[in-house]
Amino acid sequence: MKALVLAGGTGSRLRPFTHTRAKQLLPIANKPVLVYALQAIAEAGIEEVGVVVGGHADDIRQALGDGAAFGVHVTYLHQREPLGLAHAVLLARDFLGADDFLLYLGDNYLEDGVTGFVRRAAAGHDAARLLLTPVPDPSAFGVAEVDAAGLVRRLEEKPEHPASDLALIGVYAFTPAVHEAVRAIGPSGRGELEITHALQWMIDRGLPVRAETTTRPWRDTGSVDDMLEANRHVLDRIEGRVDGKVDPHSVLVGRVRVAEGAVVRGSRIVGPVVIGAGAVVSNSSVGPYTAIAEDCRVEDSAIGYSVLLRGACVEGAARIEQSLIGREAVVAAAPRLPQAHRLVIGDHSKVQLYS
C-alpha cells in the first residue's frame, strides 16, 4: 500500500499565517502538523508517500526532504491550484499505479494514528474504506449514511440538512477502482472534483464502500481554535524533561519540556508546556498548555493556552491566552498615555478620582 498526502490548499481560515507558509507546516507542540501525518503513516508500515503540494511547495520540500527522517520515501506531486481531493487522486495516477493507497489530508491530526485503519483496509475486500466521526455540526463536512453492516449508502458534501452526524475526517483507503471513478465525475458547484462524488459513483455501481467510526481525538487544524485544541491534546501526552538551563529562581510545575539551548530565568512554568531550543523565558509566568517555539523570547509577561511560532517575542504583556503568535512577531506593552479627566460637576458634589 502507498499513501497520498494532500498538502496544498490555500488555508483561508488560517490567514494571515498562510500568506507566508503552508497551513500543514504550522506547529502543534513545536512540530509541524504534516510531520505527525508522515509519522503516523510510517508507523502503519507504509513506506512510499506521495505529497501533493501547491503554492508553498518549496517550504514543504525543505521541511520534509526525501522523507528519510520520518521513515518514508517522499515523491512530490505539484497541483497548480486546489481543484478538489478527487483531482489530487487524478494527478497522482502515475505515482499510485495499480497499488491500494491511503489518502490522508495533511492538516489532520489523529491522536491514535492510522495503523489499525490501514491493517483492516488491507485485510478487507472493499473498494474503499472511510474513517468517520460524530460531530455536532455535520453540515460543515462531508456526511455519510451507513447501514447496519457498516456499508456506506449515501454521501453528501456539506449538506444543508444532514442525514446523519457522521463526518468524513479526511482519511480514506482505496483500491485502484477509484481511478475510474475520479475520471468519470465532473466538477461540483464550487468547481472542484469532490472525493465524495467519486465515492458515491462507486456506491451507485455496486462497489462496496465500508465505513468505520472513531470517537478518539481528531482535529482538522484548519482554524486557530482547532490548532490550539490540537496543541492541547498533544501537550497532554508529553513527558517532562529539562535539557536547557533553568535557574534556581524559577519554578517548574507539572510536565514541562525545556529543549537544549533554551533558558528559563526567574519564571514560573506550569505544564504541560514545551519550550524550544534557543528560547528565553525571563521574569514571566507561562502555561498551562503553551508551546513556545525555537528562538522565542518571553519577558515580564504572562501567557497560557497559546502557541508561539519561531522567533516570536512577548514583552511586558499582563496576560495573554488562547493566542497564536506568528514567526518573528512582537507583542509589547503600549506606552502609558497621560491621564486626564473632564468633569461637569453640579453644586455641592463630591467626586473621588483614582490617580
Side-chain angles (χ1 to χ4, degrees):
M1 183 179 284
K2 292 178 179 175
L4 186 64
V5 177
L6 305 192
T10 58
S12 57
R13 291 183 296 152
L14 275 168
R15 290 173 182 159
F17 303 100
T18 49
H19 285 311
T20 54
R21 72 185 315 183
K23 62 180 178 178
Q24 297 85 3
L25 294 181
L26 289 171
I28 299 173
N30 289 357
K31 185 192 299 183
V33 177
L34 189 54
V35 169
Y36 288 98
L38 288 193
Q39 290 176 333
I41 288 166
E43 288 169 4
I46 298 174
E47 297 178 355
E48 290 293 321
V49 180
V51 177
V52 178
V53 294
H56 295 291
D58 290 344
D59 289 341
I60 291 175
R61 288 175 186 270
Q62 184 177 358
L64 303 185
D66 63 2
F70 313 106
V72 298
H73 179 266
V74 170
T75 298
Y76 293 97
L77 307 164
H78 193 266
Q79 188 180 35
R80 285 181 291 181
E81 52 183 318
L83 295 175
L85 307 191
H87 179 263
V89 174
L90 197 62
L91 70 84
R93 182 69 180 88
D94 290 343
F95 166 76
L96 295 169
D99 293 307
D100 294 352
F101 68 97
L102 176 77
L103 179 64
Y104 193 119
L105 302 192
D107 57 353
N108 272 2
Y109 169 73
L110 287 91
E111 185 176 276
D112 291 344
V114 293
T115 300
F117 178 81
V118 167
R119 183 178 65 248
R120 289 184 290 273
H125 303 284
D126 304 300
R129 181 178 287 256
L130 318 177
L131 191 57
L132 309 174
T133 194
V135 295
D137 180 17
S139 64
F141 300 88
V143 175
E145 287 185 61
V146 183
D147 68 16
L151 291 173
V152 180
R153 292 308 178 196
R154 192 160 69 97
L155 292 157
E156 287 187 277
E157 186 65 32
K158 297 181 174 63
E160 186 176 350
H161 302 290
S164 81
D165 66 346
L166 295 176
L168 285 75
I169 62 175
V171 177
Y172 314 80
F174 289 108
T175 66
V178 72
H179 296 302
E180 184 180 1
V182 297
R183 288 196 303 269
I185 62 173
S188 66
R190 57 180 184 168
E192 296 187 1
L193 294 180
E194 310 283 0
I195 200 68
T196 48
H197 292 179
L199 286 161
Q200 190 64 54
W201 187 94
M202 297 167 74
I203 293 167
D204 292 343
R205 282 150 186 81
L207 296 173
V209 175
R210 187 170 299 278
E212 59 180 80
T213 302
T214 179
T215 57
R216 297 295 295 158
W218 158 80
R219 283 285 163 182
D220 163 14
T221 58
S223 71
V224 170
D225 286 345
D226 286 330
M227 285 289 303
L228 295 175
E229 184 64 12
N231 189 66
R232 187 181 71 82
H233 276 299
V234 175
L235 289 179
D236 259 334
R237 304 177 73 179
I238 70 164
E239 295 180 1
R241 176 171 174 168
V242 177
D243 294 320
K245 296 181 179 179
V246 178
D247 77 356
H249 304 292
S250 297
V251 176
L252 307 187
V253 179
R255 290 169 290 116
V256 177
R257 184 177 296 172
V258 182
E260 185 176 358
V263 176
V264 178
R265 294 191 294 257
S267 297
R268 179 179 174 85
I269 316 294
V270 179
V273 166
V274 292
I275 301 173
V280 176
V281 178
S282 61
N283 302 318
S284 295
S285 172
V286 174
Y289 296 109
T290 299
I292 297 174
E294 299 83 356
D295 302 321
C296 288
R297 194 168 82 251
V298 179
E299 296 181 359
D300 303 314
S301 298
I303 186 165
Y305 303 95
S306 296
V307 174
L308 275 64
L309 276 58
R310 178 179 50 79
C313 175
V314 177
E315 297 178 310
R319 181 68 182 175
I320 293 174
E321 290 189 355
Q322 297 290 332
S323 298
L324 180 59
I325 299 173
R327 293 177 294 176
E328 310 294 337
V330 176
V331 178
R336 287 185 174 273
L337 298 175
Q339 282 191 338
H341 304 281
R342 179 177 183 267
L343 307 174
V344 179
I345 302 173
D347 297 344
H348 310 295
S349 298
K350 180 178 180 180
V351 176
Q352 292 180 315
L353 300 177
Y354 289 99
S355 58

